Amino acid sequence: MDTLDDYNVDPKRASVVPGRTLVSTAQRALVRTVVSSSVNNNPFRFFVQSWAATTYADESRYDLITRNIPQNFWTPLYRDVLRDLKEAKTLIAADITIDNPKVKANQLAIIEVLEVYTWATLVDTFGDVPYSEALDFSKPQPKYDDDAAIYTDIISRLNTAIGQMDATAAGYNTGVTTSADLLNNGNMALWVKFANSLKLRLALTIADADKAKAQTMAEETAGKTLASNADVIDLAFLIFPNSNPVFEDLVRSGRKDFVASATLVDTLNRFADPRTDDFYKLGPGATTFKGGVNGNANSYNAFSAPGTRQEVQTAPGVLMSYAQVEFLLADAVRRGFAVGGTVVSHYNAGITASIVEWGNTPAVAATYITQPRVALSASTSDAEQKRRIGVQQWIALYNQPVDAYREVRRLDSPKLIKPNLAKSEFPNRLTYPAIEQNLNTANYNAAASAIGGDNVNSKVFWDKL
């Protein structure tokens, strides 16, 4: 008997895929999500006031609901990153063609590092989230886990992953292709550094909540983290549809939705910062860089706009930079953690790395660091050290908006004034997606109660100050 079954099979869609391809798609989705400039899912350049809006100013005023931003940030991390990584882990663990146990261990450890990075991003952004019951088709209404408890578990998972990595063995650079690892191209030594740098970041993130644990973690990473700008953890984008999402928003869209924020531009101008003309481009007929007012619908032609380096479709998307690690080390030493070096040496290295990263020379960086408003010394007070580390890290994280959002809250520096017509004070977190309220109501209500209310004033567990 004839059937119509064959007509329901998509010949272009694979029914079985190798685990390594799921790792690739997860890496791509993760980077696109955290570096995006779309107001539909990533408003953090507005939150940290590196950009301001033109026509559509709602998101710069902390309006999260009109475009359902929480859901648009939440969904790809769960569906496109964590779900793919979970399936990849199952497939790779069962893959008998990977006959070298060290290679298989490396591949599984890489997945763990990516999962830890993603879970930390969700916790840092929302607080309590579904974790222990998440990604299970038999549990469509997963409970929310305590954010501090999630951190405890992912730190343990990260330690295990670091322990099973072998830099002398291959990662995803075996078999059919060398391109499955879109971040590090199979460089296991770099994965080891990335994993330790992530551990350092998690340590500093919890430092105000649990200093003793943070100190132990940070000191365990000494000498094992990213060591130069060559160690950047990034994804090299290609041409459309695999182009950099910022290029898509600034150029391919044909729109002019963003200008510089006066908050950052004025800071850069005060410091005569050599990165200013890399971050931004002059407005028509202008001779100085000028930022728009956060919360206003600013005229595109009246202000500086995002720079030409962000308009390159092949520009890499960064998950972690060397400059970022040096600022974390500076803060670690400031807190008394024995990670080597001094506050001043790491602070200066972070500034230098960022300035060089944006195309300037070490000599230019050396001159910049000597400015009285920038320089640190051993006699600089602890409070001022913290403030300056925060400000310089905020500048360096210009193109890493999700990291910048976390670090501004973690160090409470710089102090950002809420924009015009703001709907709230500075958001300490994103509210939960509307779909959670509607389809996971009981667990949503329990989570909202546990964090003191599903609003932007509630704080993630590590945000103590």
Side-chain angles (χ1 to χ4, degrees), residues 55-88:
T55 308
Y56 303 104
D58 290 351
E59 293 73 26
S60 68
R61 299 168 183 163
Y62 309 148
D63 180 348
L64 304 176
I65 304 304
T66 300
R67 298 178 191 271
N68 203 0
I69 290 170
Q71 182 171 316
N72 294 334
F73 189 75
W74 167 292
T75 298
L77 293 177
Y78 273 107
R79 180 195 63 203
D80 303 330
V81 181
L82 290 170
R83 191 65 191 83
D84 277 6
L85 291 173
K86 181 177 182 179
E87 186 66 19

Side-chain angles (χ1 to χ4, degrees), residues 26-36 183 235 237 245 317-319:
Q27 289 180 345
R28 177 183 181 276
L30 174 59
V31 175
R32 284 185 62 87
T33 300
V34 299
V35 306
S36 173
L183 290 176
L235 188 151
F237 285 103
V318 178
L319 285 188

Side-chain angles (χ1 to χ4, degrees), residues 385-444:
Q385 286 183 354
K386 180 181 178 181
R387 188 192 71 80
R388 294 194 183 196
I389 290 170
V391 169
Q392 289 298 326
Q393 184 173 225
W394 168 64
I395 295 171
L397 292 175
Y398 170 76
N399 220 20
Q400 296 173 245
V402 175
D403 284 319
Y405 175 56
R406 181 191 59 255
E407 293 301 305
V408 165
R409 288 175 294 153
R410 185 180 74 82
L411 289 174
D412 301 293
S413 175
K415 297 291 186 182
L416 300 174
I417 299 172
K418 68 180 181 180
N420 287 342
L421 303 176
K423 291 182 174 294
S424 68
E425 297 300 320
F426 183 83
N428 295 317
R429 58 181 289 275
L430 296 189
T431 53
Y432 292 126
I435 195 171
E436 286 292 300
Q437 301 175 39
N438 296 330
L439 300 182
N440 195 12
T441 307
N443 290 313
Y444 161 80

Side-chain angles (χ1 to χ4, degrees), residues 30 39 48 88 132 164 201 210 256 275 287 394 441 451:
L30 174 59
V39 297
V48 301
S132 60
Q164 73 183 57
R201 198 195 84 187
D210 190 340
K256 297 181 178 180
R275 292 164 288 190
T287 57
W394 168 64
T441 307
I451 64 173

Side-chain angles (χ1 to χ4, degrees), residues 27 30-31 109-118 158 162 165 181 183-184 187-202 221 224-227 231-234 318-321 324-325 328 400 403:
Q27 289 180 345
L30 174 59
V31 175
I110 286 171
I111 293 174
E112 280 288 280
V113 172
L114 292 169
E115 287 185 331
V116 168
Y117 188 104
T118 307
L158 182 59
I162 291 171
M165 284 181 169
D181 178 8
L183 290 176
N184 296 329
N187 184 336
M188 279 309 303
L190 189 53
W191 273 105
V192 172
K193 290 181 180 180
F194 179 28
N196 279 284
S197 299
L198 178 57
K199 181 176 177 177
L200 175 68
R201 198 195 84 187
L202 298 181
T221 70
K224 303 173 184 178
T225 57
L226 305 184
D231 287 342
V232 64
I233 309 301
D234 62 0
V318 178
L319 285 188
M320 184 170 288
S321 62
Q324 177 182 359
V325 170
L328 291 170
Q400 296 173 245
D403 284 319

